[in-house]
Amino acid sequence: IGRLFLEKGDLNEAQEYYTRALKVREMAYGQYSAQVAYSYRDLGYLEQQMGNRDSAQFLYQNCVQLLSIDSIGGGEVNDGYLLDAQIMLARFAMEGKQDRRFLDLIDAAQAFSDTIFQRPSLYALALLGEYYCEQKQFPKALEYFQSALTQARKENQVFDFHPIVGERLIEIADCQLKANDNSRSLTT
């Protein structure tokens, strides 16, 4: 129900239902379960949408921590949730200009994706492209964006009109525009 309110844009109602879901999962599965971690991830995303960066980061960290503990204990873990939370923590580090932490987190996410899914994460590739574009390392950024585009096409077996592929094409075009703007400013 919380997801429905989130999709409708009613963040306060979504928060109420996500919080209820967390409490129910804690009672049903125990506070150190994968199901509780999924609630942390959902609440983290909601807090992020509400602009509560610190709270979102805390919730994503709890999600990663719980999923790591649960997977070590042999519990059933949704690997996609764990990868998603890792990538979100990397995004927070990038936005906070914590370059070393960002690169460590994104490397861990990539290694996890390669191990579990036997393929790179297109979202991690896109985030690396975004990072290097911000660093004005445009050839490297374009390389990562192109890899994300290739991966999106492979994963979804779709054509260029699919939204995920479209997002990657926009990222490439945006980075190329920034590279052109940067080269013009260097010559004037």
Side-chain angles (χ1 to χ4, degrees), residues 12-186:
N12 291 327
E13 284 292 317
Q15 186 177 35
E16 182 179 326
Y17 281 97
Y18 278 140
T19 302
R20 280 187 196 176
L22 172 62
K23 289 176 183 174
V24 167
R25 286 176 171 173
E26 284 176 335
M27 287 188 310
Y29 302 104
Q31 68 185 70
Y32 299 108
S33 68
Q35 289 74 20
V36 169
Y38 303 151
S39 284
Y40 282 144
R41 187 259 173 219
D42 292 341
L43 277 165
Y45 180 77
L46 176 64
E47 290 293 326
Q48 185 179 356
Q49 298 304 304
M50 296 173 84
N52 302 328
R53 187 178 184 281
D54 291 342
S55 180
Q57 187 170 1
F58 175 77
L59 289 161
Y60 283 126
Q61 286 172 333
N62 284 344
C63 174
V64 168
Q65 199 169 28
L66 283 180
L67 289 177
S68 298
I69 290 169
D70 207 45
S71 66
I72 291 168
E76 292 232 358
V77 173
N78 180 327
D79 295 321
Y81 266 75
L82 181 54
L83 179 62
D84 185 42
Q86 288 175 322
I87 291 171
M88 291 313 302
L89 286 174
R91 174 170 287 288
F92 285 126
M94 184 183 83
E95 290 170 354
K97 306 293 185 210
Q98 301 168 331
D99 294 345
R100 183 73 257 150
R101 179 166 161 68
F102 164 74
L103 292 171
D104 289 345
L105 286 166
I106 207 70
D107 283 348
Q110 281 291 62
F112 179 79
S113 184
D114 288 343
T115 301
I116 300 299
F117 300 112
Q118 285 77 48
R119 60 180 160 71
S121 161
L122 75 96
Y123 296 106
L125 292 170
L127 191 58
L128 280 162
E130 191 178 324
Y131 171 78
Y132 285 112
C133 195
E134 286 180 12
Q135 301 293 316
K136 299 190 185 318
Q137 296 180 30
F138 299 111
K140 198 169 190 175
L142 288 168
E143 181 182 319
Y144 279 111
F145 282 137
Q146 188 61 49
S147 294
L149 174 62
T150 301
Q151 190 62 36
R153 286 178 170 148
K154 281 182 191 175
E155 285 182 24
N156 298 292
Q157 299 176 346
V158 295
F159 298 101
D160 287 346
F161 55 82
H162 192 278
I164 292 174
V165 173
E167 287 173 12
R168 306 294 77 87
L169 290 169
I170 289 169
E171 289 166 344
I172 290 170
D174 186 51
C175 187
Q176 287 174 330
L177 286 171
K178 288 177 182 175
N180 289 341
D181 289 347
N182 188 57
S183 66
R184 273 192 227 117
S185 69
L186 293 176

Side-chain angles (χ1 to χ4, degrees), residues 1-11 13-15 17:
I1 296 174
R3 186 172 297 136
L4 294 173
F5 281 110
L6 178 63
E7 289 173 7
K8 289 174 65 176
D10 190 343
L11 302 182
E13 284 292 317
Q15 186 177 35
Y17 281 97

